[in-house]
Amino acid sequence: AERVFFRGPRNQMWVVRRYGRHFGRPRRAAKISRVSASPFAATGRPGAPLVVFWRGARDMLWSMRYAPSQGWQPKHNLGGRVA
């Protein structure tokens, strides 16, 4: 299944899963709030953890990692401002 991340109501990060041609119900992603721009995600090889990046409070760059066996890890402020 693929996951699509997006900025939703009240600037919170939401995720929806896609199964073939169909999408599941959108839900909040790991209580991530204060998303000030559309998030983007990157992953490596199949089965590798998913890393989501977003511009958050005070235009800082944030990231959070998800591994199916561990769930969501704590978010990290990567520092620097995103234009």
Side-chain angles (χ1 to χ4, degrees):
E2 297 172 337
R3 291 178 178 88
V4 178
F5 292 87
F6 60 96
R7 182 173 58 174
R10 292 184 230 119
N11 292 325
Q12 296 170 335
M13 189 177 304
W14 287 69
V15 61
V16 63
R17 292 182 76 170
R18 181 180 139 182
Y19 303 92
R21 299 170 123 191
H22 304 284
F23 286 91
R25 289 179 36 168
R27 59 187 173 91
R28 279 189 59 195
K31 299 182 182 178
I32 299 170
S33 61
R34 300 195 61 166
V35 176
S36 59
S38 297
F40 58 95
T43 187
R45 64 191 182 286
L50 174 71
V51 181
V52 179
F53 299 90
W54 71 95
R55 184 174 69 187
R58 298 182 303 279
D59 295 328
M60 304 297 277
L61 180 62
W62 292 80
S63 73
M64 187 174 250
R65 182 183 144 177
Y66 176 81
S69 62
Q70 300 171 332
W72 287 101
Q73 303 300 304
K75 64 184 176 182
H76 294 283
N77 181 342
L78 300 177
R81 290 187 174 249
V82 179

